[in-house]
Amino acid sequence: RQMELMEHAANGTGPFSSHPGALLPEDYDDTDVDMHGDFEIDFEDSDSDSDNSSVSDGNDENNDNDNASVNDDGSVLQRQRRRNEPSSFELTPNRARQAAVLALQAADESHEDTRYSVSSGGTKQKNKSVTVKTSIGNANPLSTLSNKKVGEGFVSQLLRRISPTNSLSSRNSNRSKISPRNNYSTGLSPRSQRQLKSYMDQMEDVNLAPFPEFVEDLWPERSNTFFSRFTEKLTSLCGLCFGTASRRRKAYLLTSILACIFAFLITRNLIHNNDRGSSSLSMSPDQYKARSAMIRDLIINRKITADEDFESVDSVKYALDFLTKSDSHLNLSKSSDIQVLLEKYALVVLYYSTGGIRGMPDDATGSDGNVRSNDDDFSTLMKFGHDASWETEDGWMVNAMVCDNWYGVACGKDNSVIGLNLTDNTLAGSIPSELHALKSLDTLDLSYNFISSTIPPSISTLTKLKNLYLGGEGAITGTIPTQLGELSRLEELFIFDTLVTGAIPSTLGNLENLEGLGLYANGLSSSIPTELGNLAKLHVLYLDENDLTGDIPASLGQLKVLSDFRLRKNVKLDSFIPTEIGNMVGLEHLYLDNASLKGAIPSEIGNLSNLKQVHLYKNKLTSTIPSELEQLDDLELLYLDTNDLTGSIPSSFGALVNLSAFYLFRNKLTGIIPSELGNLVHLEYIRLNENSLTGSVPTELGQLKYLKILYLFQNQLTGKVPSDLGNLKEVANLRLQYNNLKGEIPESICKLRTDGGGTLKTLIADCGDNNAKLTCDCCTSCVEDMD
């Protein structure tokens, strides 16, 4: 029977005579088929799935056969379908054209009506029956094909009638030579041909449900992945611009290529991010051992860490373990990757050497997070009352790349570490020598932490270092390495507030680019090296709060751009102030107080026209005050107190109009208080007490409207207290006791008292006994005559 039907189909006779070339499927079962009568597709309207419907939606899992039946009267044709056929498939416009042609061919037959099922979503749904008039009426049988997914019933039976191998053979052939077998418009009525042309011109993209053999032969099934869905969507969009079906096929090829490129870029980025963000990569024990040995050999060969340290120093062992696990993506035969690895190794060793605990091996920390290591580096924080952790460690041991927001780490354009600023971050432990692996480092700031080690001499190998700051919490010990004098690019060197002892290395005089040298608040006990006079670019020299001895080198006078010079609180100096100090023409701040200095104040100081502050108090200075100080027009603070100065107060000091503080107390000065001091209109503090000054209190002092403190006590002043002092509207302390003043404290001064609405808090005079020559009704304290 099958052969007979195939012969009928080939000859254009029998039930499929209107569809020449039709073939039956390979699994056609003639036992269940009665071929009497004409072919008819007849679907009844239904709101529910029906096993007896002419065409099933094909998604019923309990029914492998989608049956349609044809009885002996010709009303039902029964056909067995392939098992596990897909119920729908995303198809290109060319498939839509084939289905449209067959629909029009069916419409041109003499059947009264054709009914077929339309599935709008490509999934199992309730059938929606649509009736299309055939050769009579004005209905267009293609109206339900546009922009829909058509159920397999109608389309699949139509597509069974043409050969899959010939269905698209016209793709590259000349239109004028298309054979009737491949010309899908063959046999269509003129009206159907016009409908087909209009349909294909308007159709942008239609998804149909063809019979599977067309898919298998022409469009191999693609998986429902993001890539395939993205390609289909992109093809659909591009198809709008390409127009014809053949051009849309080219669009599909183009968009597929673009999608491949897009997927490649995304995949590469994901892999890159995974490499950057992973903190540990799994590997077998053998791989771990081999990788660890390779990194260790590399570190030893580069002389970053000594071989024995890998067995005895916990921070080194932890760093090696961490790098072995986290940086397996680096190529150790590539120089740039090697440098990245070595720099990261140095930073990780620093992290573990100063109290960091992230990423430690499991046997290094307990369940409570406390460090189990016996290394003294991790116990220092406990001594200072802190937890074993940095205050801020953002990015450290988490981000794979040290330049990827590791707190305090700055990187250059080539991703090398150029700056490390961890100031005031509760680091405790030691400064590891491994830091010399940071070959591009120009700034290292570990100040204001709890570092308790010595300064490693290996820092001297950081040849690009410009700024070095250590100290701040009094924990660093040892001496200043002489090798620091090899850092020829160094611009600022500050080692302060430590337990460092010993000498100031004379090699520091080799740092010709040095602009700031701060070695204050240490235990340095040597003399000041004369070689420091070679630092021609030096702007700041802080050597205060040490135990320095000897003389102040005259060579320091060569520092012509020095602006801030501090030697205060070096009580063992016992030196004269060299006259060469007058050559420091750039000097603005001079701190030589509390340094056991002796001799006279050099008049050459008057040459320092930029000087703003002079601190020479608490020394053993003798002789008179040089009048040349009047040349210091910018002088704001003049502290000459607590010395053995003699002579009088130069009246020329009235020219120091910018002076705000004038301290001459506890000297052996004589003479009068110059009335010219009334010209110092910016003066806020005057302390002339505890001298042997004579004469009266100048009325001109009442012109100092900003004056807050006026101490004239314990002198030999006479006369009355001038009422002009009542003009001192800002004064808070007025002390006149232990003089020979007489009369009454003026009412204008009493009105300055705070209980009267003024600013005067303290007013002390010699009004303490019945024989006092001075009376005061508003004094805060009255004392008896010193005699």
Side-chain angles (χ1 to χ4, degrees):
R1 176 62 65 87
Q2 183 174 355
M3 295 299 295
E4 180 181 352
L5 291 174
M6 292 174 64
E7 182 179 358
H8 280 302
N11 295 330
T13 60
F16 302 143
S17 58
S18 61
H19 305 284
L23 296 176
L24 294 178
E26 296 176 0
D27 59 351
Y28 171 68
D29 187 357
D30 62 344
T31 60
D32 295 328
V33 179
D34 186 349
M35 297 301 297
H36 296 290
D38 292 335
F39 177 79
E40 179 179 3
I41 304 175
D42 188 9
F43 299 92
E44 297 298 332
D45 295 345
S46 175
D47 293 330
S48 62
D49 297 336
S50 175
D51 292 336
N52 297 322
S53 62
S54 300
V55 178
S56 169
D57 62 359
N59 288 321
D60 191 348
E61 297 178 356
N62 298 322
N63 186 12
D64 292 335
N65 296 326
D66 189 10
N67 298 322
S69 61
V70 180
N71 60 16
D72 293 340
D73 297 332
S75 60
V76 180
L77 174 65
Q78 198 173 63
R79 176 171 291 177
Q80 181 181 7
R81 295 180 54 195
R82 297 174 185 262
R83 291 180 179 271
N84 301 324
E85 288 180 353
S87 62
S88 62
F89 191 83
E90 301 284 337
L91 198 61
T92 62
N94 198 45
R95 296 290 88 207
R97 185 175 184 275
Q98 294 182 42
V101 170
L102 295 175
L104 290 169
Q105 288 177 344
D108 284 340
E109 296 184 26
S110 58
H111 306 297
E112 290 186 1
D113 62 0
T114 299
R115 295 171 182 165
Y116 53 91
S117 174
V118 177
S119 174
S120 61
T123 59
K124 184 176 180 179
Q125 297 181 3
K126 296 181 179 180
N127 289 338
K128 298 179 181 179
S129 179
V130 180
T131 300
V132 180
K133 298 296 181 181
T134 56
S135 58
I136 60 175
N138 297 321
N140 184 351
L142 302 181
S143 61
T144 57
L145 294 178
S146 300
N147 300 319
K148 295 180 182 296
K149 292 182 178 179
V150 180
E152 194 167 340
F154 172 67
V155 177
S156 63
Q157 295 197 46
L158 292 178
L159 293 180
R160 284 179 183 275
R161 305 180 189 184
I162 62 174
S163 171
T165 58
N166 294 324
S167 61
L168 291 180
S169 60
S170 63
R171 174 176 176 180
N172 297 319
S173 58
N174 192 316
R175 288 184 179 273
S176 62
K177 298 180 180 180
I178 296 179
S179 64
R181 187 179 184 85
N182 296 323
N183 187 350
Y184 300 125
S185 62
T186 300
L188 296 182
S189 65
R191 175 185 176 186
S192 294
Q193 292 186 34
R194 289 194 300 271
Q195 291 174 341
L196 174 63
K197 182 178 184 302
S198 175
Y199 168 69
M200 295 304 297
D201 288 343
Q202 296 176 4
M203 188 269 299
E204 297 294 350
D205 191 11
V206 178
N207 297 318
L208 301 176
F211 200 68
E213 60 254 31
F214 291 94
V215 178
E216 295 167 2
D217 292 345
L218 304 174
W219 285 279
E221 184 172 358
R222 296 181 295 275
S223 62
N224 187 26
T225 63
F226 167 77
F227 173 76
S228 61
R229 295 196 303 272
F230 172 77
T231 304
E232 293 293 343
K233 293 295 183 182
L234 194 57
T235 302
S236 174
L237 293 175
C238 292
L240 297 175
C241 302
F242 280 83
T244 65
S246 63
R247 292 182 179 178
R248 280 192 289 269
R249 286 193 294 272
K250 295 178 181 179
Y252 181 82
L253 177 61
L254 175 61
T255 52
S256 297
I257 295 173
L258 293 175
C260 287
I261 297 174
F262 179 73
F264 169 75
L265 294 175
I266 291 180
T267 303
R268 187 182 70 168
N269 187 59
L270 290 175
I271 293 175
H272 178 64
N273 287 339
N274 183 65
D275 287 342
R276 287 168 59 91
S278 62
S279 60
S280 63
L281 300 176
S282 60
M283 60 180 70
S284 68
D286 290 341
Q287 289 175 327
Y288 172 87
K289 185 176 181 180
R291 182 76 176 180
S292 178
M294 187 181 301
I295 295 175
R296 175 172 174 166
D297 291 342
L298 180 63
I299 292 171
I300 294 174
N301 292 336
R302 296 297 180 96
K303 298 182 179 180
I304 307 299
T305 300
D307 189 8
E308 58 272 14
D309 288 347
F310 285 98
E311 305 298 332
S312 59
V313 181
D314 287 341
S315 57
V316 171
K317 291 187 291 185
Y318 298 158
L320 178 60
D321 174 78
F322 181 82
L323 262 65
T324 302
K325 294 177 180 178
S326 66
D327 289 280
S328 60
H329 62 284
L330 293 178
N331 184 355
L332 298 186
S333 62
K334 189 177 179 181
S335 59
S336 59
D337 280 6
I338 290 175
Q339 185 57 33
V340 169
L341 180 71
L342 294 178
E343 289 189 346
K344 185 174 182 180
Y345 169 74
L347 293 176
V348 174
V349 172
L350 171 67
Y351 178 77
Y352 288 138
S353 296
T354 54
I357 60 175
R358 279 183 178 176
M360 278 188 174
D362 294 336
D363 60 350
T365 57
S367 59
D368 57 356
N370 292 327
V371 178
R372 289 177 176 169
S373 170
N374 293 325
D375 196 336
D376 290 339
D377 294 346
F378 298 103
S379 63
T380 306
L381 272 172
M382 306 306 173
K383 181 174 67 175
F384 286 95
H386 295 272
D387 296 330
S389 179
W390 290 9
E391 181 175 328
T392 304
E393 52 186 4
D394 297 346
W396 283 74
M397 323 305 288
V398 176
N399 299 338
M401 306 298 291
V402 300
C403 295
D404 189 9
N405 295 323
W406 279 34
Y407 173 78
V409 176
C411 293
K413 294 181 180 179
D414 59 350
N415 287 329
S416 60
V417 178
I418 62 174
L420 184 58
N421 184 356
L422 297 174
T423 182
D424 197 15
N425 201 38
T426 65
L427 277 65
S430 61
I431 303 173
S433 61
E434 283 77 7
L435 288 182
H436 75 272
L438 305 175
K439 300 299 183 182
S440 299
L441 196 68
D442 67 17
T443 298
L444 176 59
D445 190 349
L446 301 179
S447 60
Y448 297 105
N449 286 294
F450 303 99
I451 295 172
S452 57
S453 68
T454 59
I455 302 171
S458 59
I459 289 181
S460 62
T461 63
L462 299 175
T463 56
K464 295 184 179 180
L465 198 63
K466 294 182 179 179
N467 306 288
L468 177 59
Y469 307 97
L470 301 173
E473 293 293 343
I476 294 179
T477 60
T479 60
I480 299 175
T482 59
Q483 293 89 339
L484 294 184
E486 301 172 9
L487 298 173
S488 59
R489 297 190 182 184
L490 206 59
E491 296 178 358
E492 291 192 1
L493 174 59
F494 283 79
I495 302 174
F496 61 96
D497 194 8
T498 72
L499 301 177
V500 171
T501 59
I504 299 175
S506 60
T507 55
L508 298 184
N510 300 329
L511 304 177
E512 57 183 15
N513 291 306
L514 202 63
E515 298 179 1
L517 178 59
L519 304 178
Y520 59 95
N522 296 300
L524 301 176
S525 57
S526 68
S527 59
I528 302 172
T530 58
E531 289 81 0
L532 296 185
N534 300 329
L535 305 177
K537 296 182 179 181
L538 202 63
H539 287 272
V540 172
L541 179 57
Y542 295 162
L543 302 178
D544 47 307
E545 297 186 56
N546 282 290
D547 294 320
L548 299 176
T549 60
D551 295 329
I552 300 175
S555 61
L556 297 184
Q558 303 172 23
L559 306 178
K560 298 186 182 300
V561 298
L562 191 68
S563 62
D564 197 341
F565 180 32
R566 305 190 183 195
L567 269 178
R568 61 191 305 265
K569 293 189 178 181
N570 278 286
V571 296
K572 298 180 181 180
L573 271 179
D574 194 28
S575 171
F576 294 95
I577 300 176
T579 57
E580 288 80 2
I581 199 172
N583 298 328
M584 298 180 179
V585 293
L587 204 61
E588 297 181 5
H589 305 278
L590 178 60
Y591 290 79
L592 300 179
D593 56 280
N594 204 1
S596 299
L597 300 180
K598 58 187 178 181
I601 299 175
S603 61
E604 288 79 4
I605 290 181
N607 300 331
L608 306 179
S609 59
N610 294 311
L611 206 57
K612 295 180 179 179
Q613 297 185 24
V614 175
H615 298 252
L616 297 177
Y617 61 94
K618 290 188 178 181
N619 283 298
K620 302 175 182 178
L621 299 175
T622 58
S623 188
T624 60
I625 301 173
S627 60
E628 286 81 1
L629 296 184
E630 68 179 12
Q631 303 172 25
L632 304 178
D633 295 336
D634 294 332
L635 195 64
E636 298 173 357
L637 305 177
L638 180 58
Y639 297 145
L640 303 179
D641 57 280
T642 319
N643 281 289
D644 293 323
L645 299 176
T646 59
S648 61
I649 301 173
S651 60
S652 59
F653 277 12
L656 303 175
V657 293
N658 291 306
L659 203 63
S660 62
F662 185 35
Y663 284 12
L664 292 177
F665 64 93
R666 292 181 186 167
N667 279 291
K668 298 178 180 179
L669 299 176
T670 57
I672 64 171
I673 300 174
S675 61
E676 288 80 359
L677 295 184
N679 299 330
L680 306 180
V681 293
H682 294 100
L683 207 58
E684 298 180 21
Y685 307 95
I686 297 180
R687 295 192 62 177
L688 304 178
N689 52 288
E690 299 176 68
N691 281 290
S692 298
L693 301 176
T694 57
S696 60
V697 177
T699 59
E700 289 81 0
L701 295 182
Q703 302 173 14
L704 305 178
K705 58 181 179 180
Y706 298 113
L707 198 65
K708 294 180 174 61
I709 290 179
L710 177 58
Y711 285 180
L712 301 177
F713 67 91
Q714 204 166 333
N715 279 290
Q716 300 177 18
L717 300 176
T718 58
K720 293 184 177 182
V721 177
S723 61
D724 299 79
L725 298 185
N727 297 325
L728 304 176
K729 305 299 183 182
E730 301 291 331
V731 71
N733 266 284
L734 178 57
R735 300 192 178 192
L736 305 174
Q737 75 273 21
Y738 304 132
N739 280 290
N740 295 317
L741 300 173
K742 61 181 180 180
E744 184 178 357
I745 297 296
E747 181 65 22
S748 60
I749 296 178
C750 290
K751 291 182 179 180
L752 298 177
R753 284 292 310 277
T754 52
D755 53 5
T759 60
L760 187 59
K761 297 179 180 179
T762 303
L763 176 59
I764 304 177
D766 297 323
C767 53
D769 56 29
N770 295 329
N771 298 322
K773 298 178 182 179
L774 185 65
T775 60
C776 179
D777 296 331
C778 58
C779 287
T780 57
S781 178
C782 285
V783 298
E784 296 182 2
D785 191 287
M786 286 187 65
D787 294 336

